[in-house]
Amino acid sequence: MGLVLTEEEKMISEMAEGFFADKAPVKQLRELRDNRDETGFDRGLWAEMAEMGFAGVLIDEDHGGSNMGFMEAGLIAEQMGRNLTASPFVSTAILAATALNKGGSAEQKKEWLPKIAGGETIMALALEEGRKHNPAATNMSAERSGNGFKLNGQKGMVMDGHVADQLIVVARTSGEAGDMDGLTLFLVDPKTKGIATERTQMVDSRNSARIEFEDVEVNADAVLGEVDNGAAVLKAIVNAGKAAIAAELLGTGGEAFRQTTDYIRERKQFGVEIGSFQALQHRSAHLYSELEICRSAVLMALTSMDMDAAGSEMPVAMAKAKLGSVSKLAGLEGVQMHGGVGMTDEYDIGLYLKRIRVAQELFGDANYQMEQIASMKGY
Amino acid sequence: MSDLDAFRQEVRTWLDENCPQEMRTPMKGFEDACWGGRNYKFASQAQEDWLRAMAEKGWTVPTWPKEYGGGGLSKAEAKVLASEMKRIKARSPLSSFGIWMLGPALLKFGNEAQKMEHLPPIARGEIRWCQGYSEPGAGSDLAALATKCEDKGDHFLVNGQKVWTSYADKADWIFCLVRTDFEATKHNGISFVLFDMETPGVEAKPIKLISGRSPFCETFFEDVRVEKHNLVGELNKGWTIAKYLLTHEREMIGDIGGNRPISEIVAGSVGLDDNKKLADPMLRAKVAETEVDEWAYMLTLTRKLAEAKAGASLGADSSMLKYYGTELNKRRYELMMDAAGHDGLEWEGERSNDGDLARMWLRTKGNSIEGGTSEVQLNIISKHILRMPGA
């Protein structure tokens, strides 16, 4: 039932492992950060990822994708998490591909999916408005205007927002903040008049932007899916995002743990390796157990995405909840067990702590997921 | 129709005819479990009929070979049987340390004569077994056990004391770890022997626990004669069997499947507010957290068993499962007590089924002690999986 990888899945995982360790190790993220790179990721890497079929992992062959599926997408995300690889994989290959798969018209699919799979187009989801993930609270408005709509509002935490060739914008066409009804998705060119994008430098040195929309005019054919009925497509997008981020966190948390146990096995104090102290051993063994539990949660979430996107909401929320809290623990314990050097920029463990802080927040932190789970279960 | 579908149909029909209605109702307390044995008093005719019918088919131990009283079923068939039993909410026909612990050890380490002598009565629920492992001086450090077993030519002579022997006062036979070599290093002088609890010199005294119940005993051996053919495996090589059994026990203790969702239990006690949310928001958060962990834990159990190749042991990962599963079970009972509030504190009387919840809650405190404490499991993970220095 997907809890044990098939030979084919193992192969993809190993291929991704080798690829990212070789082409996009932590060192690359450091260089992007230190050089204040304008793009925020390596375009050469993204092109290679497209060649490998990673960019088109969720796109069918008719539209130029590799159609590997969600399990594979998760295995790729895990390896990127391990290496803190910066790329538009989540924004474009996961979120945008899902948006078009679920909501796109035949023309929209034909126009955009091959470009995503080919690595030519980068897309960003402009969803969040407040401090915390809350799609129903969407306040940004889209009023009918002439043949199309006029967009007004502001968005934040837009992954790859400053480099996107197209934006997927969630706006309200009816109802009021608090309703999931009345939302509509739009495909918008970021160069359209009235759009102001500010790249926000984030704690994890990864791409994010704030975007303001002032009387932005779009045509009716910019609508992705149905007017007022964007909720279903949006839920599918968010669900896909949660699953991918949970898989990424499995890699990030797992690697933080690996580096930490490697460190305490070697570091000597009082004449012995500090890993010989039971105080550290028991916390490490606990974290090992939690991470094993996490792997099962992620595998089940990915399996359910492949099987039935409608029934996947619960396992995906559960996986995101579990990974949010356990990867956080891995980051915190990592820095603490590294001691003084854990506070230095030279050691990688701090970079892991920072990325985990961001990723656990994306699409709702553990508390948010838990609230959703309880509500879905009717208590 | 595939073979498995045909088998499912056959099982369904058979269960329909043979599982008494009374055995399709949930057990009220642990007393409702059927343990079998020489002196066992069945709680009802239905309980007895159900055991007899299942034993006849070999389905008390579905995957054991037929010649040993088993059903000879494949893993897939056994799964079908389990799911069909679950479908009609059939109770387990037999609870037995013979099935859970000694049986697997005999199948792996016993000789043919031992298998033929002991396995069929276990399968039929005729002989009830207990496990003689811990001693007053050998708890977490089990290999320090000192119960003496001397070679007297044509037989062994056993002297010493065991403790925490589950249901020793009700058991017919014991499988017991004894020291046969006091010179060797501690792991290399242990043997695994079997003897009848009615042998002269054996005495079992129940220990009253914080739950008020007495599932465990102190067991004393004074010049107990053990026949030589009751040595399992080689002399002084009993630790290998002990470890195998402990691993098996940990996997079993780690299994929390079949539990009612904790949210359902808690909602039943504290109720929902106007928004259909648990009336206590802090409790609601803890319940959700526990349900996520239980879900992911059960998946991990399935995953680890599937990963371990058929027949192979999980190795040190069984310690991870035991640690996590028992800690989780303790959390579950803490939540149940939180939710039950004042009612959960009742110790006697019909309303509380003689304080069943409170007593079960107290019993779970032992989950992370028996079969190796949580701390011992964490040590094992550190040493064998994480390869920590000096562990």
Side-chain angles (χ1 to χ4, degrees), chain B residues 7 45 82 112 116 142 168 202 204 232 236 272 275 280 321 354:
Chain B
F7 179 71
Q45 190 59 46
E112 191 55 28
M116 285 310 290
L142 180 62
V202 179
V232 180
N236 296 325
L272 302 178
N275 297 318
D280 178 339
L321 294 170
D354 271 338

Side-chain angles (χ1 to χ4, degrees), chain A residues 62-100:
Chain A
D62 290 347
H63 291 97
S66 59
N67 200 23
M68 287 193 267
F70 238 96
M71 176 60 80
E72 286 74 3
L75 296 173
I76 294 165
E78 180 190 353
Q79 295 306 327
M80 294 177 68
R82 218 162 253 294
N83 292 286
L84 302 180
T85 305
S87 90
F89 183 73
V90 172
S91 62
T92 304
I94 302 292
L95 301 174
T98 303
L100 286 156

